[in-house]
Amino acid sequence: MVGICVISSRRTGVTDRLQGLEPDEALAPFVGICDGGARLDAGITIALVDTEAEAETAVRDGAHDALVWPSEAHRLVRAVLSARTAARREIDLVRYRTVFRQTAIWQELGDPDIVLLDVSDGFEAATAHTREAVVGRTPRELFRGGTHSRAFYDELTAQVERTGRWRGDMLGRRRDGSLGVLDTQIGLIRHGERTVGQYAIKREAGANRNGALQTWIDERASAQWVLVQVGGGVLEASSHVQEALGVGRDELLGRDPSVVGLTLDMPAPGGHIVGDQWLGERAFQVDVQRRLVGDMDVLHVVLLDVTTRKLEAEKLDLLAQDLAAARDQALAADRSKSAFLAAMSHELRTPLNAILGYTELLAEDAEGQTLADLDRVAVSGRHLLGLVDEILDLARIEAGAVHCELERVDARSLLEDVASTLALRVRRAGQRIEIDCDDHPVLADPQRLRQILTNLVGNATKYAVPGRILVGCRAGRVFVEDEGPGIALHQQEAIFEPFRRLHQGGVGVGLGLAVSRRLARALGTQLVVQSAPGTGSRFDLQLTIEGFEAESRAG
Ligand code: ADP
């Protein structure tokens, strides 16, 4: 408290004079004077005394620090008020600093030239700049950002002036030159009518909602990455990038990535493109994300070495191409083989038929040994014709020229038909045929089914010992069973391959089962064998009866 003792007198009219001189706020402290002294707002006590004796007493009491004549009183009060205002401001700033020195990072910007007045401990930690080194300097020279446009700063300033605050991400460089993304808040501190300070509080953006880019940088500490400004150069790169691009971070900064051979696809804003790219001897997966940081349009580019995977993939591709070529060759060879067989079979049939025809003609008039000889010619000719027919069948099937017309077939009469055709051979082999058939008609191409059954029963007569051959059809399942030598498990698939025979000699070239299995497939089913050496063999194929029943019901 400041006490002032003013020697005055109502009689001398000092107060009136003062009032007359300064009718504004400066006069306020004196308002109480007229009432004989008062404690005023500014904390100044004024005592009014009329005589020197009264003044002496007032000062001696210790209530007042100064004794002034009225003519000096006005100037003195003003000085005291101004000192008090300054002291209050100082207290505000000290309080402010105490609070904000504890926040993570902050910097205090002077107004209006934006020179740094003070920074917090957190600021020192985040930027590696010491307090002594930054106070008095401008943020621009310290952070060498240069990454944001003039328009960006103008807009920022305008907003601060308009609303008193601004918040957003800014890019700046630390003392070591590395790029940092700071979530920045700027606010104006006003004192009375005057702006006495402009402050920015900055936190490392990684810790909050705007920290995507910083998090992105932090998470890729050991990765190979570059940050590229769209329409500009490289803003930042990891120290590992040299492994991929062959040049270090420092050389890259500010340059177009294409100078080191890196071609970047341009995603739409907020978008993402991933692709592979060869850089010299090595392949990289290049992952490009496009983001906005403040007004900055940036590409986050991560490079991942995928050379091994790429080389493996290329090898596999080559292998696949080789395989495809080999397959095409094999198919082509197969097609030409089938075409050759078909053509040859046709060429063989014509003369064979002629031989058989003329043999029969000659046999009509022949007798004795000549007739017997002609019979042998005819038997051999027919056998040869049978073989040619089988070859022709196989070739036709493999060429896809066999089409089956499915129709309702009376299985029993078809089986009886086959049995009677082969009856002579069966009897000669010392065998008998039994038929076991239900009355379900089956859905099949009768001509093809007859051909399959003739082959199977024919084999049973060829390879089985004297005994029973059971042929039948139950619930659409057609089978031929014999009591012959049987077939070992490991040969049960082989017998369906063309020209594969287990028994050498005898009649046949190993085509019957191959043709039969393909015909069964053309009928939409599969021919299978069950057998064990010494127990006989059973060949089965399942024909459908369902569709047929549905058809008859509908009819
Ligand atoms: P092929 O009868 O002209 O030799 P197949 O394709 O009809 O040709 O038969 C292939 C081989 O399967 C035959 O050579 C024979 O060794 C074996 N085989 C076929 N049917 C039987 C059977 N019922 N019992 C034993 N072996 C058989």
Side-chain angles (χ1 to χ4, degrees):
M1 180 184 293
V2 180
I4 301 172
C5 176
V6 180
I7 298 188
S8 180
S9 159
R10 288 180 198 182
R11 280 164 303 169
T12 55
V14 170
T15 310
D16 297 339
R17 268 210 346 264
L18 281 169
Q19 277 177 324
L21 282 171
E22 290 284 348
D24 64 4
E25 52 143 31
L27 204 56
F30 294 92
V31 171
I33 293 176
C34 302
D35 301 328
R39 186 198 151 116
L40 300 174
D41 277 352
I44 303 165
T45 313
I46 297 189
L48 196 64
V49 291
D50 282 331
T51 62
E52 285 187 23
E54 281 175 13
E56 237 175 83
T57 314
V59 172
R60 209 177 319 115
D61 286 349
H64 302 93
D65 301 320
L67 177 68
V68 293
W69 294 108
S71 56
E72 293 170 34
H74 178 228
R75 189 185 54 75
L76 184 68
V77 169
R78 288 198 71 113
V80 169
L81 281 174
S82 145
R84 182 166 169 71
T85 306
R88 269 204 202 140
R89 262 179 60 186
E90 192 54 37
I91 289 165
D92 280 352
L93 282 176
V94 168
R95 270 197 208 128
Y96 180 83
R97 285 171 185 171
T98 315
V99 171
F100 286 103
R101 279 235 169 121
Q102 289 161 18
T103 62
I105 301 163
W106 71 285
Q107 68 184 59
E108 184 178 306
L109 307 178
D111 178 39
D113 51 357
I114 317 189
V115 169
L116 299 184
L117 295 177
D118 196 1
V119 294
S120 72
D121 302 339
F123 174 91
E124 290 187 317
T127 63
H129 289 292
T130 61
R131 180 174 291 126
E132 292 71 42
V134 302
V135 168
R137 298 176 67 189
T138 66
R140 202 174 172 75
E141 62 179 314
L142 276 179
F143 304 126
R144 287 176 285 123
T147 44
H148 297 287
S149 62
R150 182 80 228 163
F152 175 75
Y153 287 110
D154 288 348
E155 166 59 25
L156 185 159
T157 312
Q159 191 183 323
V160 169
E161 279 167 3
R162 204 168 55 245
T163 65
R165 67 187 61 225
W166 182 88
R167 180 168 185 180
D169 284 347
M170 291 179 90
L171 286 168
R173 298 212 177 270
R174 298 187 185 86
R175 190 158 165 239
D176 62 3
S178 61
L179 196 74
V181 186
L182 300 176
D183 171 19
T184 306
Q185 297 184 33
I186 297 178
L188 291 183
I189 304 292
R190 294 180 192 277
H191 186 79
E193 288 304 304
R194 293 171 57 208
T195 302
V196 296
Q198 184 180 33
Y199 302 92
I201 300 167
K202 297 188 171 191
R203 284 184 204 87
E204 195 80 28
N208 56 51
R209 69 187 164 78
N210 287 325
L213 183 54
Q214 189 70 50
T215 311
W216 186 91
I217 291 174
D218 293 344
E219 280 175 358
R220 285 157 190 78
S222 61
Q224 302 172 24
W225 55 264
V226 284
L227 271 184
V228 183
Q229 183 167 12
V230 174
V234 172
L235 279 175
E236 188 56 289
S238 74
S239 52
H240 300 271
V241 85
Q242 183 149 14
E243 296 160 27
L245 302 180
V247 288
R249 167 191 173 276
D250 298 343
E251 277 184 76
L252 270 179
L253 291 186
R255 298 176 75 189
D256 192 303
S258 64
V259 298
V260 290
L262 185 62
T263 319
L264 297 180
D265 290 324
M266 185 64 68
H272 192 195
I273 295 181
V274 184
D276 290 346
Q277 201 174 123
W278 282 95
L279 293 170
E281 300 281 282
R282 295 163 67 197
F284 290 87
Q285 183 194 66
V286 183
D287 184 327
V288 186
Q289 283 188 45
R290 188 167 170 192
R291 289 278 151 75
L292 274 181
V293 182
D295 68 329
M296 294 248 330
D297 200 355
V298 288
L299 300 177
H300 309 184
V301 185
V302 180
L303 303 162
L304 187 68
D305 192 332
V306 291
T307 313
T308 318
R309 163 163 75 69
K310 259 320 224 202
L311 289 176
E312 290 301 325
E314 277 183 8
K315 266 190 223 156
L316 277 177
D317 270 0
L318 285 176
L319 205 64
Q321 278 171 22
D322 287 354
L323 281 175
R327 185 202 57 207
D328 291 348
Q329 256 176 10
L331 286 175
D334 211 40
R335 273 196 298 275
S336 53
K337 182 196 80 185
S338 301
F340 170 77
L341 285 176
M344 281 309 291
S345 302
H346 180 74
E347 294 304 312
L348 286 171
R349 279 186 66 120
T350 315
L352 260 178
N353 277 322
I355 291 168
L356 282 173
Y358 281 108
T359 307
E360 274 173 29
L361 210 62
L362 290 172
E364 278 176 16
D365 300 328
E367 49 191 37
Q369 188 56 41
T370 312
L371 183 60
D373 290 347
L374 285 174
D375 267 352
R376 273 193 211 102
V377 172
V379 167
S380 296
R382 273 195 292 275
H383 175 58
L384 201 53
L385 192 60
L387 290 182
V388 169
D389 280 345
E390 276 187 332
I391 292 174
L392 193 57
D393 275 342
L394 188 71
R396 273 209 205 111
I397 293 169
E398 290 195 337
V402 170
H403 299 288
C404 289
E405 294 291 334
L406 297 189
E407 60 182 73
R408 177 190 195 134
V409 177
D410 178 354
R412 180 183 292 276
S413 66
L414 191 130
L415 290 175
E416 285 172 354
D417 210 20
V418 171
S420 74
T421 312
L422 294 170
L424 187 64
R425 274 170 69 179
V426 171
R427 232 185 358 263
R428 278 192 192 147
Q431 296 165 319
R432 64 179 193 285
I433 289 189
E434 284 178 20
I435 293 177
D436 172 21
C437 199
D438 62 22
D439 290 326
H440 278 301
V442 292
L443 203 57
D445 180 319
Q447 199 191 335
R448 300 302 174 194
L449 184 56
R450 179 196 307 274
Q451 198 175 348
I452 295 170
L453 285 167
T454 308
N455 274 335
L456 294 177
V457 178
N459 278 352
T461 61
K462 272 195 282 184
Y463 304 112
V465 288
R468 182 185 74 156
I469 298 172
L470 181 66
V471 294
C473 179
R474 294 227 150 252
R477 193 159 188 91
V478 180
F479 55 90
V480 176
E481 198 179 297
D482 65 48
E483 297 172 334
I487 302 155
L489 190 64
H490 69 278
Q491 289 173 319
Q492 287 177 9
E493 270 308 296
I495 55 172
F496 293 102
E497 290 168 17
F499 307 106
R500 187 63 85 88
R501 308 193 70 214
L502 306 182
H503 304 82
Q504 296 310 319
V507 185
V509 289
L511 279 177
L513 287 179
V515 169
S516 299
R517 177 165 267 193
R518 285 164 175 74
L519 286 176
R521 216 172 278 150
L523 288 176
T525 182
Q526 177 146 17
L527 177 62
V528 292
V529 63
Q530 292 173 56
S531 180
T535 61
S537 309
R538 175 181 160 123
F539 290 83
D540 279 81
L541 69 149
Q542 178 68 53
L543 293 173
T544 176
I545 52 173
E546 276 173 13
F548 185 77
E549 281 172 345
E551 200 178 272
S552 37
R553 266 202 307 277

